[in-house]
Amino acid sequence: MKPITMLALACLALSGCKNEEPAASVPSVELRGRLEVDQEKTSARQAQGIEGEYFRRVLTVDGSDMTLDAFINHYCPADTRDETCQKALRIKKIDDVSGATRFLPQGL
């Protein structure tokens, strides 16, 4: 009986040692969001001689605005298998080429 009690107390003590933050659940959000002109990148590109405006994707998450990059950094850890995060990462790859675009592949 004594070994079982010791084992139970050890397990209880170790369970309190976990210092991880709880994983933020990924909210359901419209990943297409809206497009805004990114003045900083537009100015940098125009200084390089590239004409046109550079857009960024802005999402509305729980009533507040957040860029797609900020959404991924906040809600999507590197090893996630969440469908929303997978779609967000695919959209980010497309947007990183030349800025956010309205024309995304079917299913994103």
Side-chain angles (χ1 to χ4, degrees):
M1 184 71 173
K2 186 175 180 181
I4 293 175
T5 305
M6 295 278 291
L7 181 63
L9 289 174
C11 289
L12 184 62
L14 288 175
S15 68
C17 295
K18 191 173 183 179
N19 288 332
E20 293 179 14
E21 289 184 25
S25 63
V26 180
S28 67
V29 62
E30 173 56 46
L31 291 174
R32 291 179 178 263
R34 70 177 189 281
L35 303 181
E36 287 184 353
V37 175
D38 187 341
Q39 292 297 336
E40 184 178 315
K41 286 192 179 183
T42 299
S43 299
R45 290 168 56 95
Q46 288 176 348
Q48 296 173 349
I50 302 171
E51 293 299 319
E53 295 178 321
Y54 190 90
F55 292 96
R56 67 179 169 196
R57 194 170 304 277
V58 179
L59 312 176
T60 302
V61 181
D62 295 330
S64 63
D65 291 341
M66 178 182 283
T67 64
L68 181 63
D69 290 338
F71 175 82
I72 290 170
N73 290 336
H74 188 268
Y75 292 105
C76 302
D79 60 345
T80 187
R81 291 230 181 262
D82 185 79
E83 183 179 351
T84 303
C85 288
Q86 294 298 316
K87 286 182 179 181
L89 290 169
R90 288 180 57 203
I91 291 172
K92 181 180 178 341
K93 283 182 184 178
I94 293 168
D95 288 354
D96 283 348
V97 174
S98 61
T101 179
R102 285 180 183 75
F103 307 106
L104 293 171
Q106 190 72 13
L108 287 182

